[in-house]
Amino acid sequence: GCCAPHRCFKQSPWYSQCGPACPEDATWECHNTPSVAMILARWGNWPNWTPVLIHTLAANHDFDFLLVSDVHPDVHMPANVRFVNCTFKELLRRCQDRLGARLPAISAPSGDTFRSGVSSEKVNDLKPMFGELFAEELAGYTW
């Protein structure tokens, strides 16, 4: 069953943490949708289709989006999209400080890199750790 300290999100149309095991009493009812943030990371210049991306993110009112990059996109940011200035060197420092991982540089065997010299393959390897690497930016979010 669903018991404390778990929260039941049975009223959410897109997610049910407890499913049919959710208690029926009012203490477990969801009065607010859980707050969700998603991180989109990119280093170097943003592509020409960035305005379309931002427009799409703006249409998803139930989510907040954190754009982590060393370059601010040249578009208006809607209320649910926030820019987080982070150089790639800062990301590597966070890896060392928060995870104990010493990564002086990241490169891929294929040699594929962004214009900034950062390997797109290797940045993807770090994504599972973004929750820890950006814990301050994600503070206050349920998911």
Side-chain angles (χ1 to χ4, degrees):
C2 187
C3 50
H6 303 291
R7 294 163 68 190
C8 183
F9 297 119
K10 68 179 182 175
Q11 289 183 344
S12 171
W14 49 270
Y15 183 77
S16 176
Q17 180 177 350
C18 305
C22 286
E24 295 294 326
D25 65 73
T27 61
W28 288 92
E29 290 293 319
C30 290
H31 300 290
N32 296 312
T33 302
S35 58
V36 179
M38 294 186 184
I39 295 177
L40 286 78
R42 179 178 186 85
W43 283 270
N45 292 328
W46 289 84
N48 293 338
W49 47 264
T50 301
V52 175
L53 169 68
I54 301 300
H55 179 77
T56 302
L57 300 180
N60 288 281
H61 303 287
D62 292 336
F63 300 90
D64 285 347
F65 298 91
L66 308 180
L67 303 182
V68 176
S69 181
D70 57 346
V71 177
H72 195 290
D74 190 25
V75 295
H76 169 75
M77 294 291 183
N80 66 329
V81 178
R82 182 168 49 111
F83 176 73
V84 177
N85 188 16
C86 181
T87 65
F88 195 70
K89 192 178 249 184
E90 168 67 14
L91 178 69
L92 296 179
R93 189 186 62 71
R94 287 181 186 218
C95 285
Q96 182 169 351
D97 293 349
R98 297 174 189 181
L99 305 174
R102 293 182 181 206
L103 303 169
I106 292 182
S107 60
S110 67
D112 292 338
T113 60
F114 295 130
R115 288 184 192 168
S116 62
V118 177
S119 165
S120 57
E121 288 177 45
K122 294 290 127 191
V123 169
N124 285 336
D125 290 348
L126 297 175
K127 286 183 179 180
M129 296 171 264
F130 277 7
E132 188 67 30
L133 296 175
F134 297 99
E136 290 85 13
E137 291 83 359
L138 295 171
Y141 288 99
T142 308
W143 300 97

